[in-house]
Amino acid sequence: MTMYFFFGLHGITELMHIYGFPLAKSLHLPHVSLALAYFMEGLLFFFHLHGKDMMEVHVHVLLVYVIYGTTLATALEIKFRSSLLLAVLRSAGTFLQGLWFWAVAFILYNPIPNAVKWDPASHADNMLVTAVSPQTPHGQ
């Protein structure tokens, strides 16, 4: 099963909720399916680390932290439906995941011609990745 299946499942449960299916509303299926989709995404990225170089593992681990934080916020939102803080945390986590994809595109596969490439084996470059990562306060 891929994460696309689970995000597709979330889309179906969201439509069921919008069109008033009683089961979707009573079981809070959109939030349950979204938490499941985020969890599966985190699981896939966690097990995507085998055989990668040090820098690629590092940036994937940073993403896994954000994904599981987003999963936790979404799961807590099932219980605390009126919590604005949890909704903002879920949205911010989703936004940070998108920023991560942009950042990693430039870190691992720099598309700018003649740009200096990051050294995947360099400890200094790996520490710099942490500092400029979208989810750290230093990188903002």
Side-chain angles (χ1 to χ4, degrees):
M1 299 270 175
T2 66
M3 68 178 155
Y4 301 113
F5 171 79
F6 287 99
F7 280 105
L9 181 67
H10 166 65
I12 291 169
T13 60
E14 192 71 47
L15 288 173
M16 289 171 58
H17 182 77
I18 289 170
Y19 289 111
F21 282 76
L23 184 65
K25 288 185 182 250
S26 65
L27 296 178
H28 308 293
L29 280 184
H31 282 83
V32 171
S33 64
L34 186 59
L36 180 63
Y38 281 135
F39 177 77
M40 290 307 296
E41 179 189 13
L43 201 62
L44 287 169
F45 272 102
F46 179 76
F47 286 110
H48 182 65
L49 304 176
H50 181 71
K52 307 290 184 187
D53 59 43
M54 186 170 60
M55 183 176 290
E56 197 164 345
V57 168
H58 188 68
V59 295
H60 279 81
V61 166
L62 291 173
L63 175 67
V64 168
Y65 293 152
V66 172
I67 291 172
Y68 283 137
T70 308
T71 302
L72 181 64
T74 306
L76 286 172
E77 204 174 355
I78 296 167
K79 174 73 176 163
F80 305 104
R81 298 278 303 174
S82 61
S83 173
L84 180 62
L85 176 64
L86 291 173
V88 169
L89 285 174
R90 177 176 45 88
S91 299
T94 304
F95 183 70
L96 281 175
Q97 288 179 48
L99 284 177
W100 178 89
F101 284 110
W102 277 90
V104 166
F106 282 89
I107 291 170
L108 298 179
Y109 316 104
N110 196 338
I112 300 172
N114 301 323
V116 177
K117 303 285 185 190
W118 292 66
D119 181 11
S122 167
H123 181 71
D125 280 358
N126 274 291
M127 293 300 102
L128 187 59
V129 163
T130 304
V132 299
S133 181
Q135 65 262 25
T136 58
H138 317 123
Q140 295 178 359

